[in-house]
Amino acid sequence: MASVFIDKICKSFVSGRPVLQELSLEVNHGELFFLLGPSGCGKSTLLRILAGLEKQDSGSIKFDGVEISSLPPEKRQAAMMFQNYALWPHLSVFENIAFGLRIMGISGKKLKMEVQSALDAVQLSDCADRRVPLLSGGQQQRVALARALAVRPAVLLLDEPLSNLDARLRDTMRGEIVRICRERSQTAIYVTHDRQEALSMADRMAVLKDGRISQQGTPRELYERPANCFCGAFLGDINFIDGRIANGRLETSFGSFILSGECDGASAGAIRPERIKFAAPDHPEAFAAELVDGTFFGDCSQWVCRAGDTLLTVKESAPGERKIGEKVFLAFDDGFLLAMR
Ligand code: ADP
Ligand code: MG
């Protein structure tokens, strides 16, 4: 397995604005790295450049310290799994998986063994002779993954591999892909616009915006300490709170609160709905609010509360019985009100 080093990649298509702008990234050996970003931000373009299906305008790519930019796709030891699977309908499952191995000159017993090992990894051992159109969507997805794994790529590239599956199957496959990558210490770069997918599966991740990296780190770092409003909002619900920022505090119409993080250049406070709690009136940091709306989800409720002139969304797990219009007291979890740029 390889480490991946991407240095200042730029890419524009003839027609328009830059798609990737000096994008730099390091993925460690055996790491499952996620690129998360909205549609059109350049995720697929970056994967296609890594696979050698597209050429960058400038910048360098190294696998295990070796520059691969000038190598054709088949020499790069990268395997890509596409969103639409791109399987051959006229070939059996076995032949679909064997395809890349045959190109590498592998045949006979060794070929059989490698195909079988890939089929075992995706738990499709019994399907080798089936034809692809006769498989379910979930099974086709596994075949596509097996085909990518079969060549034992140094780097596995996954482009929104689960977006065509229904919700239940998607959950199962998320776990499967993590398991397979861990078992094989597979270096993998996984592209998605689905934040749940990235947060639940990634070892580390980067948020992409307009062809640039907005922030990178572990899922927890990015979720709990977003570097800017875009990352904060892209990774989950978040309250932005206007106020005056001075001496590390946010002065609002409903109180003054200690901010976490760098306050220089910050323009607002931000806090996630699950980090605001209903509190007793005598709680030292409690502030008064009015309950203006609520939605019950069973395991939690989402409330809208007005504090001063600010509307706050509050997520309460194991929700209590509350009435719209009720006066309540709220408190921010210590350390979770962030200074935001
Ligand atoms: P994502 O995968 O994040 O949704 P893409 O990498 O597919 O985004 O596309 C990024 C931008 O580049 C889009 O605006 C898209 O229209 C443009 N683009 C992608 N491929 C080409 C191409 N072959 N020719 C022209 N424009 C392209
Ligand atoms: Mg894409």
Side-chain angles (χ1 to χ4, degrees):
M1 290 314 138
S3 59
V4 179
F5 180 73
I6 300 168
D7 190 32
K8 296 202 184 92
I9 293 283
C10 294
K11 176 74 183 173
S12 302
F13 292 102
V14 260
S15 47
R17 63 187 174 81
V19 172
L20 299 174
Q21 310 189 51
E22 298 217 339
L23 189 143
S24 299
L25 200 60
E26 267 180 80
V27 178
N28 299 319
H29 165 91
E31 195 167 47
L32 179 50
F33 191 94
F34 268 67
L35 282 170
L36 176 71
S39 181
C41 73
K43 304 182 296 294
S44 295
T45 302
L46 180 63
L47 277 202
R48 293 173 59 80
I49 288 173
L50 293 175
L53 303 173
E54 200 83 66
K55 179 128 188 59
Q56 71 266 35
D57 301 333
S58 59
S60 114
I61 306 166
K62 290 177 180 157
F63 289 174
D64 256 350
V66 178
E67 177 66 50
I68 54 130
S69 296
S70 56
L71 297 179
E74 66 277 11
K75 295 254 165 72
R76 289 192 177 196
Q77 293 193 299
M80 179 118 144
M81 181 178 163
F82 298 91
Q83 190 170 358
N84 58 5
Y85 316 145
L87 298 170
W88 288 284
H90 59 291
L91 297 181
S92 67
V93 166
F94 184 97
E95 284 305 326
N96 263 282
I97 296 171
F99 195 87
L101 292 164
R102 289 196 199 280
I103 290 177
M104 289 162 68
I106 295 168
S107 60
K109 256 205 186 126
K110 169 97 169 125
L111 178 81
K112 273 210 174 113
M113 231 177 60
E114 291 293 1
V115 172
Q116 197 55 50
S117 155
L119 278 172
D120 290 345
V122 301
Q123 296 174 338
L124 274 186
S125 314
D126 302 333
C127 294
D129 299 328
R130 306 268 294 274
R131 283 201 34 234
V132 165
L134 303 178
L135 300 175
S136 70
Q139 287 171 324
Q140 291 189 27
Q141 202 268 350
R142 283 164 194 260
V143 175
L145 180 58
R147 184 177 60 182
L149 289 170
V151 297
R152 300 197 178 267
V155 182
L156 178 65
L157 305 170
L158 302 146
D159 193 356
E160 313 227 11
L162 306 183
S163 55
N164 290 330
L165 301 182
D166 66 50
R168 207 172 51 87
L169 206 51
R170 207 156 51 217
D171 277 352
T172 314
M173 283 311 295
R174 284 178 183 173
E176 287 289 279
I177 290 175
V178 170
R179 176 185 63 79
I180 290 165
C181 288
R182 294 255 156 82
E183 276 174 15
R184 299 189 159 214
S185 298
Q186 177 71 57
T187 307
I189 302 180
Y190 189 126
V191 154
T192 183
H193 66 272
D194 183 328
R195 67 194 186 205
Q196 299 290 4
E197 207 157 284
L199 289 171
S200 63
M201 295 173 69
D203 293 320
R204 286 192 311 130
M205 60 191 280
V207 174
L208 228 65
K209 184 186 181 220
D210 299 334
R212 293 178 196 272
I213 289 182
S214 198
Q215 189 180 4
Q216 58 178 310
T218 65
R220 185 180 278 271
E221 283 163 2
L222 267 62
Y223 185 81
E224 292 189 346
R225 302 273 167 244
N228 50 55
C229 294
F230 177 79
C231 288
F234 200 71
L235 288 169
D237 293 341
I238 193 161
N239 293 290
F240 292 112
I241 304 173
D242 288 336
R244 201 171 64 85
I245 295 174
N247 306 320
R249 301 184 73 89
L250 180 69
E251 315 287 344
T252 73
S253 57
F254 56 97
S256 162
F257 305 93
I258 297 175
L259 282 166
S260 284
E262 181 53 63
C263 289
D264 269 1
S267 57
I271 189 163
R272 299 234 178 253
E274 69 274 20
R275 294 298 180 180
I276 307 178
K277 296 284 154 60
F278 289 95
D282 60 352
H283 183 290
E285 263 115 56
F287 56 89
E290 181 193 346
L291 211 62
V292 295
D293 201 0
T295 311
F296 179 68
F297 290 103
D299 61 337
C300 69
S301 278
Q302 188 132 306
W303 305 103
V304 180
C305 302
R306 182 181 294 111
D309 56 11
T310 302
L311 287 178
L312 296 171
T313 301
V314 179
K315 185 174 171 186
E316 184 185 26
S317 55
E321 293 250 17
R322 304 183 187 281
K323 287 194 193 63
I324 304 305
E326 197 178 315
K327 292 267 178 267
V328 294
F329 287 90
L330 300 173
F332 297 143
D333 273 355
D334 266 354
F336 282 92
L337 180 64
L338 309 174
M340 271 288 136
R341 249 164 276 260

